[in-house]
Amino acid sequence: MSAPLLTLYHRLQRWPAGNWLFSRAVCVKAPYFASIAPRITLLENGRCEGTLADRRKVRNHIGTVHAIAMCNLAELTAGLMVDASLPKGMRWIPKGMQVQYLAKARGTLHATALPAQPIVVAAEGYALPVTVSVRDRAGTEVFSAVIDMWVSPAK
C-alpha cells in the first residue's frame, strides 16, 4: 500500500496539469512554500524532484535566485520524498539542514531529493539524512543540502 501523498500524486498525474495541481495542493496544505511557487515534477518512493522558476520574487539584490528560496525548495522536496516513502506506522520531522552555495543560481532550478539510507520501520527513532542537489538548466550544481530528518514510530 502506498502512502496517501503518493496516492494523491499518482491520481493527479492523470490530468494534463497534474504536476501543477499537486504542487498547488501541497502549497495549500503547507502555505509557506507557496512563497516560492514550486513545481513538483516527480514523486516516487525514495525520490522527489521539483523546480523553481527564476522570477523576481525569488531573486536577491544581485539578481540571482536567493539562497533561502533554494533552502525552501530543498526542504520541500526532501519532506515530500520522506512522506511518500514512509512505512505505515512511522512519522518524521526535520531536525536540521546543512547547505552549500556552490555557484550563482540563475534560470529555472531543478532539485532532486534522495535518502542517504533506506527508510524502514523501526521500534526506535532514527536519523535519516536526505541529500538534495539543485542544478541549473546547464546541469551545474548550484546548491546542495543534507537535511537531517528524525523518523520514529507514530504514537
Side-chain angles (χ1 to χ4, degrees), residues 9 12 25 38 43 50 55-56 58 62 76-77 83 92 97 111 115:
Y9 176 78
L12 291 175
L43 182 61
R55 28 175 99 88
R56 187 176 190 288
V58 298
I62 62 171
L76 175 62
T77 55
D83 205 81
W92 65 276
M97 180 188 300

Side-chain angles (χ1 to χ4, degrees), residues 106-124:
R106 292 190 171 98
T108 298
L109 303 178
H110 182 266
T112 302
L114 302 166
Q117 64 196 45
I119 303 172
V120 297
V121 174
E124 299 291 325

Side-chain angles (χ1 to χ4, degrees), residues 6-127:
L6 197 52
T7 300
L8 175 64
Y9 176 78
H10 288 301
R11 183 174 296 137
L12 291 175
Q13 292 309 296
R14 298 179 200 153
W15 296 86
N19 286 338
W20 181 84
L21 286 168
F22 180 77
S23 301
R24 294 304 311 145
V26 167
C27 290
V28 167
K29 181 74 173 167
Y32 178 73
F33 291 113
S35 68
I36 63 166
R39 180 74 46 95
I40 301 306
T41 58
L42 176 78
L43 182 61
E44 59 189 29
N45 193 335
R47 185 181 193 95
C48 181
E49 297 181 15
T51 61
L52 170 64
D54 182 354
R55 28 175 99 88
R56 187 176 190 288
K57 72 179 184 174
V58 298
R59 288 190 192 126
N60 57 25
H61 65 287
I62 62 171
T64 61
V65 176
H66 196 282
I68 299 304
M70 291 185 286
C71 286
N72 289 337
L73 181 63
E75 184 179 356
L76 175 62
T77 55
L80 289 172
M81 183 279 298
V82 172
D83 205 81
S85 307
L86 207 61
K88 189 173 177 100
M90 301 298 287
R91 63 184 178 179
W92 65 276
I93 189 167
K95 290 194 76 167
M97 180 188 300
Q98 299 86 44
V99 300
Q100 290 187 303
Y101 309 108
L102 305 169
K104 289 181 180 176
R106 292 190 171 98
T108 298
L109 303 178
H110 182 266
T112 302
L114 302 166
Q117 64 196 45
I119 303 172
V120 297
V121 174
E124 299 291 325
Y126 63 94

